[in-house]
């Protein structure tokens, strides 16, 4: 099968969150099963810098305000080809891929990602010989117009699959842009791509794609209800038969405690003592008390309401009472950063913060921490708990979305336990979980058994790749 993946971010080219990890790793897993995959992404500066062996495979004289080229190349050492929309008027902007220097969305984001979708549509219908796929797999709102453009196009088309990584981000654009985006006015209605008076990019994808997926079975159910459906629950419940929940894998090369360039010396489940050296290094680096006996918790996250960072802040007394230490690595809401700064000042040597995005530090924390906390109110899949499992950093997670599907609580099912689960949005339940952690941590053999069971989980992409192939086959059958 030949698959064209379309996404706005892709590791190692550009990353703001889990989408990049998925878009970076799934193609390799599909290729390992003998399928051909290309990934189409925007030509942000970091992408062009990292693209190797680039060749021009197509040009556009005019694409939403300027000329564009389509490049084919690959990341250093990558197994699959990356296609890049090189359109400087849209993408040659330093910094965050979606936000301007003032922290708000670029006002032309609708056109930037419509351009990505136009190029995807043209590749999909065979504009470039040898690049015509059987299936187009679109990720998140930035690629949401791809299935819609193809549905309206009239030319023979591949099957389409839409994956939603987070329903909270929907890409709503003014209705006045209909013509400029090349969308038909007759489909601007609830049974189409209209979303409460706006053009809904994600809604367009979810309405017009042949098959839909999201990144865990529990989240697939949650988004069909009003609590987490974000206004799209009716559409999603109506398409329940076309909607699959597939838990993300992780890239076992990039996240490998035995061979991680950020984590030296490496370790595995039989050499957990090495983890103690990484813990000492983290404690030293973040000015924490150098005490191996304290459970060291870490958070690696956007600092937002979704991620329940206020819930954690409200549970910090529980963490301190339990004898714990905490390192927070993240960026996000200024008010939450401020509260964490206050907590750090109130508990020197016990709480440390680092506000920013740093891939290396995220690996070092997974290696050095005893436990990773994921306090999300909703969580489509979540990746940091999976990295935690792989690095023997025991996950402490909220009972929601993909966290439910990937972590088994020690009291709920001792013989299959991999971590601790608490009630989402409930600081008292989180504080109780932190105390439970401290009690088990005080029993080294029980703790090591928990770590080893986590490290033995099958976390790679191969299983998920097989599920995606099934979805692609259903999409082909549905397209007819
Ligand atoms: P989301 O995509 O909703 O932000 P996920 O848990 O699915 O959450 O993925 C987050 C990804 O981003 C993980 O790979 C995590 O390690 C990484 N990450 C989050 N914050 C930071 C940070 N401040 N520095 C480095 N990596 C981070």
């Amino acid at each position: 099968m030949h698959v064209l993946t379309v996404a706005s971010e892709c590791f190692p080219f550009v990353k703001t969150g889990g989408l990049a990890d998925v878009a970076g790793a799934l193609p390799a897993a599909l290729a390992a099963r003998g399928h051909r995959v290309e990934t189409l992404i925007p030509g942000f500066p970091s992408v062009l810098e990292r693209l190797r062996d680039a060749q021009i495979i197509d040009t556009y004289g005019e694409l939403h305000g300027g000329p564009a080229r389509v490049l084919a190349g690959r990341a250093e050492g990558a197994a699959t080809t990356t296609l890049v929309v090189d359109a400087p008027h849209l993408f040659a902007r330093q910094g965050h891929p979606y936000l301007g220097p003032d922290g708000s969305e670029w006002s032309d984001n609708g056109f930037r990602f419509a351009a990505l979708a136009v190029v995807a549509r043209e590749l999909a219908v065979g504009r470039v010989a040898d690049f015509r796929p059987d299936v187009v797999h679109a990720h998140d709102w930035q690629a949401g117009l791809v299935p819609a453009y193809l549905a309206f196009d009239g030319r023979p088309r591949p099957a389409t699959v839409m994956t939603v990584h987070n329903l909270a981000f929907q890409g709503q654009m003014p209705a006045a842009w209909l013509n400029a985006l090349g969308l038909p006015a007759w489909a601007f209605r609830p049974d189409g791509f209209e979303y409460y008076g706006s053009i809904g990019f994600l809604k367009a994808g979810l309405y017009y794609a042949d098959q839909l997926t999201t990144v865990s079975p529990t989240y697939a159910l949650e988004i069909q209800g009003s609590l987490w459906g974000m206004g799209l629950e009716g559409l999603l419940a109506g398409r329940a038969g076309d909607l699959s929940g597939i838990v993300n894998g992780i890239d076992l090369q990039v996240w490998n405690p035995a061979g991680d360039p950020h984590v030296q010396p490496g370790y595995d489940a039989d050499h957990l003592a090495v983890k103690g050296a990484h813990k000492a290094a983290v404690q030293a680096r973040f000015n924490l008390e150098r005490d191996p006996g304290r459970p060291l918790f870490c958070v690696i996250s956007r600092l937002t309401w979704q991620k329940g960072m206020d819930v954690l802040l409200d549970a910090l007394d529980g963490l301190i009472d339990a004898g714990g230490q905490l390192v927070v690595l993240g960026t996000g809401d200024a008010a939450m950063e401020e509260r964490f700064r206050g907590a750090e000042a109130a508990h020197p040597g016990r709480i440390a913060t680092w506000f920013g995005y740093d891939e290396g530090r995220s690996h070092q924390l997974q290696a050095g921490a005893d436990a990773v906390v994921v306090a999300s109110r909703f969580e489509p899949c979540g990746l940091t708990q999976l990295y935690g499992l792989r690095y023997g950093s025991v996950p402490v997670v909220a009972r929601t979305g993909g966290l439910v599907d990937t972590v088994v609580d020690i009291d709920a099912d001792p013989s299959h336990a991999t971590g601790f689960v608490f009630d989402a949005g409930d600081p008292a339940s989180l504080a109780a979980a932190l105390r439970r952690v401290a009690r088990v941590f005080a029993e080294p053999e029980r703790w090591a058994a928990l770590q080893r069971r986590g490290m033995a989980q099958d976390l790679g992409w191969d299983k998920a790749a097989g599920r995606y192939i099934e979805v692609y086959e259903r999409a082909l059958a549905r397209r007819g």
Side-chain angles (χ1 to χ4, degrees), residues 36 92 136 156 181 185 194 209 228 251 302 397 411 417 423 427 437 458 462-463:
R36 175 178 166 185
V136 179
L181 292 172
E194 188 232 8
W228 298 122
D251 189 322
R302 294 184 284 120
V397 304
D411 293 323
D423 295 336
V437 171
D458 175 11
D462 187 58
K463 205 169 36 176

Side-chain angles (χ1 to χ4, degrees), residues 9 11 15-22 140 165-166 169 215 248 255 299-304 306-307 328-331 354-363 365-366 374 376 378-387 403:
E9 46 186 279
F11 186 85
K15 168 170 166 176
T16 71
L19 164 62
D21 288 346
V22 175
D140 273 355
H165 295 260
N166 191 337
F169 303 109
V215 288
N248 289 330
W255 295 93
V299 166
I300 302 159
S301 180
R302 294 184 284 120
L303 304 179
T304 63
Q306 178 204 331
K307 297 294 182 181
V328 176
L329 170 66
T331 51
W354 198 87
F355 301 117
Y357 193 95
D358 188 316
E359 197 70 27
R361 275 185 170 81
S362 75
H363 287 242
L365 280 178
Q366 292 283 12
V374 190
S376 310
F378 69 96
E379 190 55 76
C381 177
L383 290 173
T384 54
Q385 83 282 8
L386 301 178
Y387 302 146
L403 303 175

